[in-house]
Amino acid sequence: MVAKDERKGPARAPAPRRNRTSGEGAGGGNVGSALRSVYDETVSENIPGEMLDLLNKLS
């Protein structure tokens, strides 16, 4: 079975995306700053011993 294309007329290219600067968008919050904060917290967490044991078995 072949899917039927129901669009009529010439195909159009997608509209170009606008580049947004930090802080733009819905709500006006600073998403970049929030993501950076979460990333920094995650990177600073300790690796659980069980995970280190598994990683050591791989090498």
Side-chain angles (χ1 to χ4, degrees):
M1 180 173 226
V2 177
K4 182 179 178 185
D5 188 359
E6 296 182 11
R7 287 181 284 170
K8 294 185 181 183
R12 288 191 265 164
R17 292 184 178 185
R18 288 185 339 152
N19 288 334
R20 292 185 177 175
T21 59
S22 178
E24 277 188 26
N30 193 340
V31 174
S33 180
L35 288 172
R36 197 171 301 112
S37 174
V38 170
Y39 175 82
D40 289 340
E41 289 176 19
T42 303
V43 169
S44 66
E45 289 181 3
N46 290 326
I47 300 173
E50 296 86 4
M51 181 65 75
L52 289 174
D53 290 341
L54 288 171
L55 290 171
N56 285 328
K57 289 179 182 180
L58 292 174
S59 58

